[in-house]
Amino acid sequence: MDSVSFTVLGEPTGKGRPRFNTQSGRAYTPKKTVNYETWVKMEYCRQCSDYKFPDDAMIEMEITAYYQIAKSDSKKKKQMKLDNMIRPTKKPDMDNIVKIIADPLNGIAYHDDSQIVNCSIKKFFSDQPRVEVKIREV
């Protein structure tokens, strides 16, 4: 197997910045980020049968994020979004989506995300919000 694909259902989420506890001065990861990263790990393991790329593999990652269409959109605007005439330009930023997908797969899908030599991300609207991920050896 030199490629795997999996889907994380739900609204695309970006990696949150570390927060600091004012009393202890320690940094911590926001709970929403921890929960989503755990979800990514679980879905990868469930859908990809715990497949791990070799430690020396060069990897390519393709991420497609599908955002929920607002219920308040007109029928015309909704159709334009479904036809990809209007694409998401809202948060989360694409780099934060890459981070929240790539980081939790360290040690699970590959030794380290430094093995990723090529990465693409696309953002679309859909009635079924999700993030689809394809990982393959280059």
Side-chain angles (χ1 to χ4, degrees):
M1 184 185 302
D2 56 359
S3 76
V4 293
S5 299
F6 70 102
T7 302
V8 181
L9 297 176
E11 191 69 15
T13 301
K15 183 151 186 160
R17 297 183 183 272
R19 303 285 180 218
F20 292 91
N21 182 316
T22 54
Q23 292 165 331
S24 70
R26 290 189 178 164
Y28 66 93
T29 305
K31 192 164 188 63
K32 185 177 178 185
T33 296
V34 172
N35 290 345
Y36 196 83
E37 286 182 334
T38 301
W39 183 243
V40 169
K41 285 180 203 175
M42 287 172 44
E43 289 303 309
Y44 179 84
C45 292
R46 187 176 70 79
Q47 296 174 44
C48 301
S49 304
D50 294 326
Y51 177 78
K52 187 175 180 192
F53 289 89
D55 290 356
D56 61 347
M58 293 181 294
I59 296 169
E60 180 173 78
M61 184 178 279
E62 185 180 307
I63 301 169
T64 309
Y66 294 91
Y67 291 74
Q68 181 69 52
I69 297 171
K71 293 189 183 348
S72 59
D73 283 350
S74 66
K75 284 184 180 179
K76 182 181 177 185
K77 189 171 184 180
K78 180 179 179 178
Q79 194 56 53
M80 288 175 75
K81 287 180 176 182
L82 289 171
D83 293 340
N84 301 325
M85 294 170 69
I86 300 174
R87 305 250 312 254
T89 55
K90 61 182 187 170
K91 298 219 181 246
D93 300 343
M94 58 96 190
D95 56 325
N96 287 323
I97 295 173
V98 171
K99 281 187 240 171
I100 207 164
I101 298 295
D103 286 352
L105 296 177
N106 283 331
I108 296 173
Y110 36 74
H111 173 66
D112 189 82
D113 58 5
S114 62
Q115 291 176 254
I116 300 170
V117 297
N118 192 20
C119 185
S120 67
I121 180 162
K122 300 176 201 132
K123 292 163 62 173
F124 298 100
F125 283 106
S126 173
D127 286 329
Q128 290 95 32
R130 66 198 182 278
V131 177
E132 294 178 354
V133 183
K134 292 178 185 154
I135 308 169
R136 64 184 148 270
E137 212 171 323
V138 180

